[in-house]
Amino acid sequence: MQQNQALKFDHKGQVYFLRVTSLLKDIGLDWQIVVVVPEADFMARVNANMRTTLWLCLAASSLAIAVGVFTARRVTRPIIQMSAATHKIVSGELEQPIAGSAIQEVENLADTFNWMSQQIKASRQQLRDYARSLEANVSERTQALELEIQQHKQTETALQHS
């Protein structure tokens, strides 16, 4: 036999792997090395490794899911709080400060939200002050016009009597 060969055979209901390797040496050796391994011995280790691999994959998947859920909650919680505060601001409750977060982007968004809330509050106060000022001006102008109308009526009455 000049080539290495691998065979598989069944003997008494058990499967065996057979490997024949030629060993030719310059000193005149012409040997054949034959190795026979029962499939059960060979596959036991493969099956054990497969079970170990499956358990490790299951553990890694579980860990990845747990980390994903934790991360998602950590990111979404402040965003949900901002959404609730936005709804309260729309309904007129302007004092809705948003707490900071360990996530830099969410922290920046919370700071901007708080600044925007303060600006809205200041703008509403300015509008109230301006409305009061306009009401005072309208009241003064109305009184002046009423006084002027009264004077015109008195003048008209005086002219009619003369």
Side-chain angles (χ1 to χ4, degrees), residues 86-145:
T86 303
H87 289 287
K88 287 181 180 180
I89 285 176
V90 167
S91 68
E93 299 176 41
L94 295 177
E95 290 296 326
Q96 297 299 320
I98 301 295
S101 172
I103 301 168
Q104 184 62 42
E105 290 80 7
V106 175
E107 176 73 23
N108 291 343
L109 186 59
D111 290 344
T112 303
F113 182 86
N114 290 332
W115 176 81
M116 186 175 58
S117 177
Q118 292 302 317
Q119 292 299 314
I120 291 171
K121 184 178 176 183
S123 295
R124 283 194 173 179
Q125 185 60 45
Q126 286 176 343
L127 284 173
R128 278 190 225 103
D129 293 345
Y130 186 65
R132 280 190 211 112
S133 172
L134 284 176
E135 286 174 7
N137 287 344
V138 167
S139 178
E140 288 174 16
R141 184 69 179 140
T142 301
Q143 287 175 358
L145 287 173

Side-chain angles (χ1 to χ4, degrees), residues 10-162:
D10 188 348
H11 178 68
K12 294 182 182 179
Q14 189 171 5
V15 178
Y16 291 88
F17 292 112
L18 173 83
R19 175 113 177 144
V20 179
T21 305
S22 295
L23 182 64
L24 300 173
K25 293 288 184 177
D26 292 338
I27 59 173
L29 290 177
D30 186 11
W31 289 3
Q32 300 288 320
I33 300 172
V34 178
V35 178
V36 178
V37 177
E39 182 186 42
D41 292 350
F42 180 79
M43 291 305 290
R45 185 72 177 153
V46 170
N47 289 335
N49 287 341
M50 187 172 62
R51 280 190 300 277
T52 301
T53 301
L54 287 174
W55 281 112
L56 288 173
C57 287
L58 180 63
S61 296
S62 298
L63 180 64
I65 289 170
V67 168
V69 167
F70 173 76
T71 302
R73 285 186 180 172
R74 186 174 170 148
V75 169
T76 57
R77 186 172 293 133
I79 294 172
I80 290 170
Q81 289 173 347
M82 281 185 223
S83 177
T86 303
H87 289 287
K88 287 181 180 180
I89 285 176
V90 167
S91 68
E93 299 176 41
L94 295 177
E95 290 296 326
Q96 297 299 320
I98 301 295
S101 172
I103 301 168
Q104 184 62 42
E105 290 80 7
V106 175
E107 176 73 23
N108 291 343
L109 186 59
D111 290 344
T112 303
F113 182 86
N114 290 332
W115 176 81
M116 186 175 58
S117 177
Q118 292 302 317
Q119 292 299 314
I120 291 171
K121 184 178 176 183
S123 295
R124 283 194 173 179
Q125 185 60 45
Q126 286 176 343
L127 284 173
R128 278 190 225 103
D129 293 345
Y130 186 65
R132 280 190 211 112
S133 172
L134 284 176
E135 286 174 7
N137 287 344
V138 167
S139 178
E140 288 174 16
R141 184 69 179 140
T142 301
Q143 287 175 358
L145 287 173
E146 285 175 355
L147 183 61
E148 213 174 292
I149 290 171
Q150 228 176 16
Q151 289 173 353
H152 282 299
K153 282 183 180 179
Q154 287 174 355
T155 305
E156 187 178 311
T157 304
L159 287 174
Q160 285 178 354
H161 289 300
S162 0

